[in-house]
Amino acid sequence: MTAGARALLVGAGNWAQQFYAPLVSRASYLDSCAIWSRSTGRARDLAARFGMRVQDDLQSAAESADIVIFAVTPRAQADLAARIARPGVKFVLEKPLAPDAVECRALVEAVRAANVPVLHMLTYRFMPDFVALLEKLQSVSVRHVELSYRSSLYCDPIPGWRGPGTVLLDLGPHLLDLVSAIAGPISEVRAEYVAGHEIWCRLTHRDGATSSVLISPRDPSYSRRLMTLEVTTASGCTVTETETAFVRDARFSEYLDAALRRFCLEGNAVPGLGVDDGRLLMEVVDATQSALSTGRCVSISNQSENSEVH
């Protein structure tokens, strides 16, 4: 496909309004964008604001699209994407791919069977500081990673699918993906609750590196998000990056637009953000939940679809 692509946005909720609709409305590489949602009223409002066409039937809308962008709940995404997967279309899928590893595997099987290219949208991957950190660590052996995330994000009720018990599904994919991108695939997970609401993960990576991830999203003293990454290399050097607020600035938009352009026009996904990467990430999230529930170490087989508690 060399001409501009025809896009379909699935969903008209908060994330579609705040993120995807503005993104596709400014994308010069898209010839057109339609929108479908179970909430017809919200779809019409969003279409009027951003110049999109409202579609009443998802199946027919998907058949006339080159790329389908999902902005729905994990369970709806797993169901809808599996139903409309077909050769010739590309999917931009949100994190997490599905509400659990079982539904994730079913989605991945449907996508594979239809030979659908996938871009797993993990926005933290496009943070300028993290892009620079990955470039700095190229060809460097990593010994240990410390990641700390603090915010007041969950202090108040959040509309949509995010609610009590969903912190790991919401923030876990972002943060576990970051340490995986730095230190390699995760092979073992230990996790526990700290101070009642914080999640502390201790991870072993396939190549022998270790990492620690602290998720504290109910800290009222942090009105803005604070994320700190400390990487220790095999030679003992320490590299520290602090993101005081996740701001979608010009560089973020530049990185994201370039990745989406390549994917739409050429089918080239960002390394680490394909459908199999998303499945493995869901396995890690599930293993973390199991470790939290049982207090035991959970091993992850990156070659199979099973985790083992021991």
Side-chain angles (χ1 to χ4, degrees):
M1 179 170 48
T2 56
R6 299 164 298 171
L8 171 66
L9 177 59
V10 176
N14 291 334
W15 194 232
Q17 297 169 28
Q18 297 169 15
F19 182 70
Y20 281 117
L23 179 64
V24 298
S25 68
R26 68 170 184 263
S28 60
Y29 46 87
L30 295 178
D31 278 347
S32 62
C33 185
I35 183 171
W36 176 89
S37 172
R38 287 173 173 150
S39 176
T40 306
R42 285 196 297 186
R44 286 175 179 162
D45 291 344
L46 202 57
R49 286 170 53 195
F50 291 97
M52 296 182 284
R53 292 175 291 104
V54 178
Q55 297 285 358
D56 297 323
D57 182 76
L58 175 61
Q59 194 70 45
S60 62
E63 288 173 358
S64 61
D66 300 308
I67 180 167
V68 181
I69 301 169
F70 290 84
V72 292
T73 67
R75 176 157 280 111
Q77 175 171 264
D79 173 45
L80 297 175
R83 281 167 45 191
I84 65 173
R86 62 169 178 81
V89 71
K90 302 180 183 72
F91 284 169
V92 174
L93 296 175
E94 261 299 317
K95 61 80 191 166
L97 291 181
D100 55 50
V102 174
E103 290 194 43
C104 183
R105 293 169 200 151
L107 169 59
V108 171
E109 288 176 6
V111 166
R112 283 177 177 165
N115 196 28
V116 176
V118 168
L119 174 60
H120 186 203
M121 182 57 73
L122 289 161
T123 52
Y124 284 26
R125 279 287 192 113
F126 303 99
M127 291 191 302
D129 287 350
F130 184 69
V131 173
L133 178 62
L134 278 185
E135 292 176 352
K136 189 183 301 183
L137 293 173
Q138 282 185 354
S139 304
V140 173
S141 180
V142 172
R143 178 190 300 167
H144 184 71
V145 181
E146 290 276 345
L147 190 157
S148 171
Y149 174 98
R150 296 185 181 276
S151 78
S152 57
L153 180 66
Y154 272 79
C155 287
D156 299 315
I158 300 176
W161 66 272
R162 297 173 175 88
T166 66
V167 168
L168 191 58
L169 271 181
D170 184 17
L171 297 174
H174 283 305
L175 305 178
L176 295 168
D177 172 67
L178 293 187
V179 294
S180 297
I182 294 170
I186 295 167
S187 58
E188 285 188 347
V189 178
R190 294 173 176 83
E192 60 186 286
Y193 289 106
V194 181
H197 64 273
E198 297 180 340
I199 298 174
W200 182 35
C201 306
R202 290 162 293 155
L203 312 168
T204 301
H205 297 258
R206 187 193 299 172
D207 293 336
T210 57
S211 60
S212 173
V213 177
L214 178 68
I215 309 174
S216 180
R218 294 191 181 95
D219 191 332
S221 61
Y222 288 87
S223 59
R224 304 175 72 188
R225 308 180 197 188
L226 175 66
M227 188 170 73
T228 302
L229 263 171
E230 184 175 287
V231 181
T232 303
T233 67
S235 63
C237 295
T238 300
V239 180
T240 301
E241 296 288 344
T242 301
E243 181 73 27
T244 55
F246 182 40
V247 179
R248 300 188 188 106
D249 60 11
R251 290 183 300 162
F252 171 85
S253 298
E254 177 185 340
Y255 296 148
L256 180 59
D257 285 346
L260 195 57
R261 174 190 290 273
R262 287 195 303 271
F263 181 67
C264 287
L265 301 182
E266 303 169 15
N268 297 330
V270 175
L273 297 184
V275 70
D276 287 318
D277 304 297
R279 178 187 67 79
L280 290 177
L281 185 57
M282 191 70 242
E283 297 286 345
V284 175
V285 171
D286 254 27
T288 305
Q289 186 60 67
S290 178
L292 286 170
S293 301
T294 64
R296 301 167 69 183
C297 175
V298 181
S299 297
I300 302 164
S301 172
N302 289 291
Q303 302 302 319
S304 69
E305 298 175 341
N306 301 311
S307 299
E308 179 183 353
V309 180
H310 56 86

